[in-house]
């Protein structure tokens, strides 16, 4: 069995694992990333791509933002549609910040390229991964690659392998606390070859269900419809999708979507999930391995980026000085922000979606809330400061 030693073993080559490896490299801390999927798979899977100001800043500051700045779409606000009206929230005016629309898979491509160019090691297509010894001084990650059993011995393990990964299961069940809410709807998402009908995202509340107009480029639109969480995509031929989008996104004189070829469609169920603590022994969870948010607030990848910035800084302090206070505070530091973002994502979700058991009172209250949020400067500021990203607390220094 081949065994190697690095300071940090990272399970998962999503944005969390890759950015953590990149940040550690810049701090002179060795790491290896292992990933169950192929490079083509992780670089090709389409995920949401609204980057908070803080995420944009860290990508720029660490040298992986060049393509993002060239190809990303900078948004200074967003639009809420309801009751036949469109109302804009101006982020720049309210909080002086913006967001960037740039696909998560594009971020992954940039991070993979940066790690490989710097001589970093990413081992793709591993199997039979397991973690042991996290309560000792030298945990190990065992896996097979190209038919051979291999082991990484390390000082610390970072579990960045997503909601369905193996890292969270390495924490004893009597230690882990799980908080979860499953929503009674999902999103039918499509990718279409048609220019976006708006320069900014449109969030639409309609009696027939929520809809969202997003984009991937000036030529490609990303659109979503609220639907049952277990909906059969076969029930949604292209014609029905476009008809429903036209109805739900209507608002404003003469406004209409330009329809085009739908090249991808799928249904995503929605949940809120938090696992506490995010550290046990020498294992640290980051990103979707520790938390899931409904996509309404566009926070999933941004939370992961926040986690690994906190973790990378704590590890940098540890290796520079031997102080463990920041590592010990990692879980609490991250969870404060995570729960604040969970609140915002839940709030956006309940405000914009229709619920089957909603009464006439609930529907009128929902419209009143949207009216208030889009007319009160204080309320708009609250939405804007959460949407562009709350300040990141890096914990004890």
């Amino acid at each position: 069995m081949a065994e190697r030693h690095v300071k940090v073993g990272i399970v998962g080559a999503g944005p969390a694992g890759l950015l953590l490896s990149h940040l550690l490299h810049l701090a002179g801390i060795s790491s290896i990333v292992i990933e169950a999927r192929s490079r083509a798979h992780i670089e090709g899977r389409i995920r949401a791509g609204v980057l908070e100001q803080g995420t944009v800043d860290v990508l720029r500051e660490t040298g992986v933002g060049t393509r993002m700045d060239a190809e990303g779409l900078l948004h200074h606000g967003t639009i809420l549609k309801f009751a036949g009206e469109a109302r804009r929230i101006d982020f720049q005016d309210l909080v002086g910040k913006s967001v960037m629309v740039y696909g998560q898979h594009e971020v992954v491509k940039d991070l993979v390229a940066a790690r490989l160019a710097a001589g970093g090691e990413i081992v793709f297509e591993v199997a039979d991964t397991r973690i042991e010894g996290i309560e000792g001084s030298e945990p190990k990650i065992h896996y097979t690659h190209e038919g051979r059993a291999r082991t990484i011995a390390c000082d610390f393990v970072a579990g960045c392998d997503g909601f369905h990964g193996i890292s969270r299961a390495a924490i004893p069940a009597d230690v882990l606390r799980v908080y979860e809410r499953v929503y009674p709807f999902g999103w039918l998402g499509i990718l279409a070859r048609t220019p976006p009908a708006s320069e900014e995202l449109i969030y639409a509340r309609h009696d027939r269900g929520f809809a969202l107009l997003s984009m991937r480029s000036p030529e490609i639109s990303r659109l979503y419809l609220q639907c049952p969480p277990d909906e059969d995509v076969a029930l949604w031929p292209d014609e029905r999708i476009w008809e429903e989008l036209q109805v739900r996104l209507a608002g404003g004189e003469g406004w209409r979507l330009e329809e085009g070829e739908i090249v991808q469609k799928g249904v995503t169920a929605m949940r809120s999930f938090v696992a506490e603590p995010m550290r046990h022994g020498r294992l640290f969870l980051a990103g979707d391995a520790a938390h899931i948010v409904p996509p309404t607030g566009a926070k999933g990848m941004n939370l992961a980026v926040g986690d690994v910035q906190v973790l990378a800084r704590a590890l940098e302090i540890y290796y520079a000085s031997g102080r463990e206070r920041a590592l010990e505070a990692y879980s609490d530091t991250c969870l404060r922000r995570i729960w604040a973002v969970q609140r915002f994502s839940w709030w956006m979700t309940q405000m914009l979606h229709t619920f089957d058991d909603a009464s006439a009172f609930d529907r009128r209250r929902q419209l009143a809330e949207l009216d208030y949020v889009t007319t009160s400067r204080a309320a708009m500021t609250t939405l804007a400061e959460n949407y562009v990203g709350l300040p990141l607390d890096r914990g004890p220094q």
Side-chain angles (χ1 to χ4, degrees), residues 5 44 117 184 213 243 305 319 323:
H5 186 278
L213 183 153
E243 178 184 354
V305 168
Y319 283 112
R323 298 197 306 271

Side-chain angles (χ1 to χ4, degrees), residues 260-281:
E261 177 192 6
I262 295 176
V263 296
Q264 183 187 84
K265 65 177 77 170
V267 173
T268 302
M270 297 176 65
R271 62 156 46 93
S272 298
F273 174 89
V274 180
E276 299 182 5
M278 292 170 60
R279 176 203 179 176
H280 182 70

Side-chain angles (χ1 to χ4, degrees), residues 5 43 45 52 69 89 95 106 112 134 172 194 223 245 277 285 336 391:
H5 186 278
E43 292 185 342
R45 57 187 173 191
E52 293 177 353
D69 282 328
I89 309 292
V95 295
E106 304 295 352
V112 168
I134 60 174
T194 182
L223 302 115
L245 285 167
L285 302 180
R336 282 193 295 273

Side-chain angles (χ1 to χ4, degrees), residues 149-215:
R150 302 171 188 268
T151 295
I152 300 170
C154 46
D155 299 337
F156 300 98
V157 176
C160 306
D161 50 345
F163 182 77
H164 298 289
I166 58 96
S167 296
R168 190 172 64 250
I171 299 178
D174 61 344
V175 172
L176 202 65
R177 300 183 301 277
V178 170
Y179 303 88
E180 186 171 21
R181 167 171 289 189
V182 178
Y183 294 87
F185 40 72
W187 280 9
L188 169 65
I190 68 164
L191 208 61
R193 297 189 193 281
T194 182
S198 169
E199 292 185 357
E200 296 174 335
L201 272 67
I202 298 176
Y203 290 81
R205 186 268 175 208
H206 193 277
D207 286 342
R208 287 164 65 160
F210 168 78
L212 170 63
L213 183 153
S214 184
M215 60 284 294

Side-chain angles (χ1 to χ4, degrees), residues 43-51 67-75 99-107 109 187-203 212-224 261 263-264 266 268 295-296 298-302 387:
E43 292 185 342
R45 57 187 173 191
I46 306 297
R47 293 289 188 271
V50 178
L51 309 185
R67 200 164 66 91
M68 173 193 69
D69 282 328
E71 301 178 14
L73 305 174
L74 191 63
H75 285 195
V99 296
M100 180 80 76
V101 175
Y102 187 64
Q104 177 174 311
H105 61 295
E106 304 295 352
V107 175
K109 289 178 187 176
W187 280 9
L188 169 65
I190 68 164
L191 208 61
R193 297 189 193 281
T194 182
S198 169
E199 292 185 357
E200 296 174 335
L201 272 67
I202 298 176
Y203 290 81
L212 170 63
L213 183 153
S214 184
M215 60 284 294
R216 287 294 172 266
S217 73
E219 298 80 31
I220 301 293
S221 294
R222 184 73 163 158
L223 302 115
Y224 300 91
E261 177 192 6
V263 296
Q264 183 187 84
T268 302
T296 323
K299 295 301 178 190
M301 180 170 61
N302 294 295
Y387 199 93

